[in-house]
Amino acid sequence: MADKLNLSNEEWRKRLTPEEFQVLRQHGTEYPGTGCFLGTKTPGTYVCAGCNNPLFKSGTKFESGTGWPSFTQTLSEDSVTEIRDVSHGMIRTEVRCARCDGHLGHVFPDGPPPTGLRYCMNSVAMKHVPEGSPIELVRA
């Protein structure tokens, strides 16, 4: 993984849309069924909307019926970090971008084979890079 990207909230506000900032930096979520990547099947790589860190390959995306784009596995072991989340009276595992620490969504142990995992992500927290296109990381 590339070097960590550490920016102030002021710098993030300048770089992100209000919706991206609310999800990535304030741990928000988009309403179910509203995300732009919910039904997409275009080949490529999903990257962090904050820093372009590669997160998921399109081939690991599946329709979970939850209202959020879901994936069975991350692109690599160091694409994301997982953190215990006890907010809202629940015990969940939060998923953050390993490079910029942006909130992406949560992972649950109820996904399909081969991993049995469901990475339930916010569309606004990601961008799609078409297959064959270069991925350029955002720099400070």
Side-chain angles (χ1 to χ4, degrees), residues 76-140:
S76 69
E77 285 186 18
D78 60 356
S79 294
V80 303
T81 56
E82 297 179 6
I83 298 165
R84 181 178 163 93
D85 177 1
V86 295
S87 65
H88 306 292
M90 298 178 269
I91 299 174
R92 303 177 289 176
T93 302
E94 179 187 7
V95 178
R96 294 184 188 177
C97 173
R99 183 163 181 257
C100 73
D101 207 34
H103 172 76
L104 303 168
H106 291 85
V107 62
F108 301 94
D110 60 2
T115 65
L117 298 174
R118 174 174 52 95
Y119 285 87
C120 190
M121 302 292 100
N122 288 285
S123 289
V124 72
M126 301 182 295
K127 294 179 182 175
H128 181 267
V129 178
E131 193 171 293
S133 296
I135 298 172
E136 295 186 32
L137 296 176
V138 170
R139 302 286 174 196

Side-chain angles (χ1 to χ4, degrees), residues 7-107:
L7 301 174
S8 69
N9 274 339
E10 182 179 314
E11 291 171 304
W12 281 119
R13 282 188 193 279
K14 290 177 186 175
R15 292 172 180 242
L16 302 172
T17 67
E19 295 82 13
E20 290 169 341
F21 185 84
Q22 197 266 335
V23 171
L24 286 165
R25 308 316 311 167
Q26 297 179 316
H27 306 269
T29 191
E30 61 198 8
Y31 289 107
T34 63
C36 64
F37 295 131
L38 191 55
T40 61
K41 298 183 189 312
T42 308
T45 303
Y46 291 88
V47 300
C48 175
C51 71
N52 284 358
N53 185 42
L55 303 170
F56 303 97
K57 289 300 271 180
S58 59
T60 65
K61 189 171 178 288
F62 70 100
E63 178 52 55
S64 65
T66 62
W68 288 276
S70 298
F71 302 85
T72 58
Q73 64 189 43
T74 61
L75 186 68
S76 69
E77 285 186 18
D78 60 356
S79 294
V80 303
T81 56
E82 297 179 6
I83 298 165
R84 181 178 163 93
D85 177 1
V86 295
S87 65
H88 306 292
M90 298 178 269
I91 299 174
R92 303 177 289 176
T93 302
E94 179 187 7
V95 178
R96 294 184 188 177
C97 173
R99 183 163 181 257
C100 73
D101 207 34
H103 172 76
L104 303 168
H106 291 85
V107 62

